[in-house]
């Protein structure tokens, strides 16, 4: 006999949670949280719809991993520390193996990033997974998209392009050896939210965003919110070793500059404080690379070894004037 709603919650989503500030979690009408004095609550939510955001056959353990990590990436971009999350599930039916795998992925990721499931909602309908993630950040210290100033240096963490390359590989459009296949699979389903880096950057970066829609689009959000423009030196944009081994020349610049799902941080730092960033990089506390500069002239200019380039958001890379 299929579980009823309450048995389902009890069996798959009512884990012992003992997060800081948690007075009451799953089981009552509301969760109760005590907020630490001097902190701001950072809240973000994402919905994944079957057939739109993940394929029907996708492994629910991986879908859960990805859903949680993508939300955590938004907290990282604000410099917030992960604390609690809620889960709203809409299910077409009660499929226990599916629920068990979803629950496993969710709690594994929650354990890894020290956050607790504190409540949610369970309804019947087309398969949809909504996670609302909450974190804490020192009052007045959250990193926002606004705040980049002319002269600030633009950095990214890690390497760019892995998300878009991973999608092409998963969809069978690009082929790589087994070791790289497993690397890209992991980059797609288990992206690493840059929480540690975000926390390091509070009080140092003037603006930050996580790269979920592609560098040009996301840096564009910083520029719009800050009322500035930017120049990127493309030859300085970092890629992972596995990305560097790819040979799908046509798409690669587009993946690096305009592909999505990298979940790296793009941030700006005042020129006078770039030495602090370099020191963190030298000490291996921060994996970040300078890729350009903010200026007051609007728009984003892409230079490749000094030559102006046009990177189409959805298309190929063109050399201007060649
Ligand atoms: P109410 O009708 O008062 O909103 P529900 O019956 O929807 O309460 O939920 C009962 C309890 O179970 C609540 O504490 C709620 O937060 C929790 N809950 C419901 N669905 C989920 C879920 N998918 N994951 C975690 N907790 C859930
Ligand atoms: Mg309810």
């Amino acid at each position: 006999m299929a579980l009823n709603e309450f048995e389902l919650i009890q069996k798959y989503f009512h884990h012992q949670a003992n997060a800081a500030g948690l007075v009451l979690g799953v089981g009552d009408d509301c969760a109760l949280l005590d907020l630490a004095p001097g902190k701001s609550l950072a809240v973000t939510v994402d919905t994944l719809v079957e057939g739109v955001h993940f394929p029907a056959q996708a492994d629910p353990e991986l879908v859960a991993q990805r859903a949680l990590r993508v939300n955590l990436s938004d907290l990282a971009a604000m410099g917030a520390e992960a604390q609690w999350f809620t889960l709203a599930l809409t299910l077409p039916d009660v499929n226990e193996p599916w629920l068990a795998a979803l629950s496993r992925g969710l709690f594994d990721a929650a354990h890894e990033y020290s956050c607790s499931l504190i409540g949610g909602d369970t309804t019947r309908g087309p398969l949809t997974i909504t996670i609302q993630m909450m974190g804490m950040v020192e009052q007045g210290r959250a990193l926002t998209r606004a705040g980049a100033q002319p002269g600030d240096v633009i950095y990214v963490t890690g390497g760019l392009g892995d998300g878009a390359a991973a999608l092409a590989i998963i969809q069978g459009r690009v082929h790589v050896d087994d070791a790289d296949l497993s690397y890209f699979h992991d980059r797609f389903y288990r992206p690493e939210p840059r929480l540690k880096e975000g926390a390091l950057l509070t009080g140092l970066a003037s603006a930050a965003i996580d790269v979920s829609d592609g560098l040009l689009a996301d840096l564009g959000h910083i520029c719009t919110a800050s009322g500035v423009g930017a120049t990127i030196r493309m030859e300085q944009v970092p890629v992972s070793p596995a990305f560097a081994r790819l040979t799908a020349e046509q798409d690669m610049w587009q993946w690096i500059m305009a592909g999505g799902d990298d979940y790296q941080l793009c941030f700006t730092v005042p020129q006078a404080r770039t030495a602090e960033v370099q020191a963190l990089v030298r000490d291996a506390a921060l994996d970040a690379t300078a890729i350009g500069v903010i200026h007051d002239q609007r728009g984003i200019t892409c230079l490749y070894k000094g030559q102006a380039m046009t990177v189409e958001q959805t298309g190929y890379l063109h050399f201007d004037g060649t």
Side-chain angles (χ1 to χ4, degrees):
M1 204 179 77
L3 299 179
N4 70 33
E5 178 191 335
F6 302 105
E7 292 164 338
L8 183 159
I9 296 164
Q10 189 60 33
K11 186 161 179 189
Y12 295 109
F13 301 110
H14 194 170
H15 278 206
Q16 199 56 45
N18 47 6
L22 180 61
V23 183
L24 204 53
V26 172
D28 214 307
D29 292 309
C30 292
L32 279 183
L33 306 167
D34 281 349
L35 303 185
K39 302 269 191 170
S40 293
L41 182 66
V43 184
T44 179
V45 63
D46 270 301
T47 291
L48 301 180
V49 179
E50 182 191 47
V52 179
H53 303 102
F54 62 94
Q57 336 67 268
D59 179 346
E61 183 168 356
L62 295 179
V63 172
Q65 278 276 358
R66 181 172 158 82
L68 208 78
R69 287 160 180 270
V70 165
N71 265 294
L72 287 166
S73 176
D74 282 320
L75 287 190
M78 303 293 288
E81 192 187 333
Q83 298 274 354
W84 315 291
F85 64 102
T86 62
L87 170 70
L89 261 187
T90 302
L91 303 168
D93 50 32
V94 177
N95 175 340
E96 288 213 50
W98 191 93
L99 281 165
L102 181 85
S103 168
R104 192 164 57 240
L106 201 67
F107 285 109
D108 280 355
H111 179 73
E112 183 170 350
Y113 292 101
S114 308
C115 51
S116 300
L117 179 61
I118 61 161
D121 196 25
T122 307
T123 54
R124 196 176 286 269
L127 182 57
T128 307
I129 303 164
T130 298
I131 290 179
Q132 180 196 45
M133 178 64 67
M134 285 159 276
M136 299 274 241
V137 58
E138 211 75 48
Q139 254 169 33
R141 303 253 297 180
L143 302 170
T144 70
R145 298 175 181 189
Q149 299 277 340
D152 288 2
V153 175
I154 305 164
Y155 293 86
V156 291
T157 61
L160 295 183
D162 279 0
L167 187 62
I169 290 163
I170 286 166
Q171 291 176 341
R173 291 183 276 127
V174 173
H175 301 280
V176 292
D177 68 24
D178 286 352
D180 283 351
L181 182 64
S182 116
Y183 169 81
F184 281 109
H185 191 269
D186 236 39
R187 295 291 301 122
F188 190 80
Y189 285 108
R190 300 163 54 87
E192 238 177 79
R194 294 294 201 164
L195 289 156
K196 186 173 62 77
E197 290 80 356
L200 271 179
L201 292 170
T202 60
L204 178 55
S206 50
I209 193 166
D210 66 323
V211 181
S212 54
D213 295 331
L215 176 66
L216 290 178
D218 290 316
L219 178 58
H221 294 317
I222 286 184
C223 288
T224 303
S226 302
V228 295
T231 294
I232 300 175
R233 284 183 282 277
M234 292 170 62
E235 71 279 7
Q236 294 179 12
V237 178
V239 298
S240 67
F243 190 96
R245 284 192 288 272
L246 293 173
T247 50
E249 298 108 33
Q250 277 281 293
D251 293 329
M252 284 176 48
W253 274 114
Q254 199 214 332
W255 291 345
I256 296 168
M257 302 294 288
D261 294 327
D262 284 324
Y263 303 105
Q264 299 293 346
L265 298 182
C266 172
F267 60 96
T268 59
V269 174
Q271 183 68 57
R273 302 196 61 187
T274 53
E276 293 169 62
V277 176
Q278 297 315 327
L280 290 169
V281 170
R282 224 176 15 251
D283 297 345
L286 180 66
D287 171 19
T289 310
I291 60 163
V293 67
I294 296 290
H295 42 66
D296 52 17
Q297 189 192 340
R298 299 299 173 92
I300 297 179
T301 302
C302 297
L303 300 179
Y304 183 75
K305 298 185 177 165
Q307 188 175 16
M309 314 273 284
T310 306
V311 182
E312 294 190 1
Q313 300 278 331
T314 55
Y316 297 123
L317 179 74
H318 302 290
F319 284 82
D320 282 358
T322 56

